[in-house]
Amino acid sequence: MAKDEPKIVLWDLETTNLKGNFGYILCGAWKVLGEKKITSVSITDSPSFKKDPTNDKIVCKELVKSLEKADLWVAHFGQWFDRPMLNTRLLGHRLGPLPPIPLVDTWKIARNNLRLNSNRLETIAAWLGVEKKTALSGPIWIKAMAGHKPSIKYLVKNCRQDLIV
């Protein structure tokens, strides 16, 4: 990436609930557009995971550390979910909100420019014939919410795959 090109960061979250005051972030992943490397962080990375498997403070801190370096963000349903969810969790940890970096929401682009039966990432990817999303099931989510490390690891894989898609 040339120095004068904007730094565009794609990012995604996997959470235990759709509301930040009733749930927490299990993991997050991010990738700089044009680079192959995908970075992720999960609650299992927290030194206090065994004592409190719901403490997502390290996830929040690591996400902000990488996201604040961007000139532009890209996320699917990010305007309505990812950004507000992360902001809610940050404020809950008394860390302050995300910086006001512009966000391109691929869900909004699909909704406003395509006529698909759904604007979900999986539907868009299938229609375009690109990478597939990782399959998820209820039992995996339930186990992950209970602190089951293999299930959380599977959700991290899903989160990272969403960036590729």
Side-chain angles (χ1 to χ4, degrees), residues 4 13 15 26 32 36 38-39 43 52 54 63 73 78-79 90 102 106 111-112 114 120 125 130 133 144 162:
D4 58 342
L13 302 177
T15 67
L26 290 164
V32 175
K36 289 189 180 222
I38 297 173
T39 307
I43 57 171
D52 181 5
T54 68
L63 281 163
W73 295 331
Q79 182 176 341
L90 286 166
T106 54
R111 185 195 72 184
N112 292 339
L114 303 174
R120 297 179 67 209
V130 296
K133 282 182 53 71
D162 281 358

Side-chain angles (χ1 to χ4, degrees), residues 134-155:
T134 309
L136 288 176
S137 68
I140 290 171
W141 281 103
I142 292 167
K143 287 180 179 179
M145 288 188 291
H148 184 247
K149 280 188 175 185
S151 296
I152 294 169
K153 186 175 180 181
Y154 189 83
L155 288 178

Side-chain angles (χ1 to χ4, degrees), residues 11 13 20 25 60 64 73 78-79 81-100:
W11 62 288
L13 302 177
I25 301 170
C60 294
V64 170
W73 295 331
Q79 182 176 341
F81 181 73
D82 298 76
R83 181 170 40 197
M85 180 64 149
L86 182 52
N87 268 329
T88 302
R89 298 305 303 154
L90 286 166
L91 292 173
H93 291 299
R94 309 298 184 252
L95 297 173
L98 287 165

Side-chain angles (χ1 to χ4, degrees), residues 148-165:
H148 184 247
K149 280 188 175 185
S151 296
I152 294 169
K153 186 175 180 181
Y154 189 83
L155 288 178
V156 171
K157 178 182 173 187
N158 174 75
C159 193
R160 294 170 66 91
Q161 181 64 18
D162 281 358
L163 296 181
I164 294 167
V165 174

Side-chain angles (χ1 to χ4, degrees), residues 24 43-44 46-58 89 93 145-147:
Y24 54 94
I43 57 171
T44 61
S46 173
S48 65
F49 178 73
K50 280 188 177 184
K51 183 179 175 189
D52 181 5
T54 68
N55 186 349
D56 62 355
K57 189 172 186 176
I58 192 167
R89 298 305 303 154
H93 291 299
M145 288 188 291

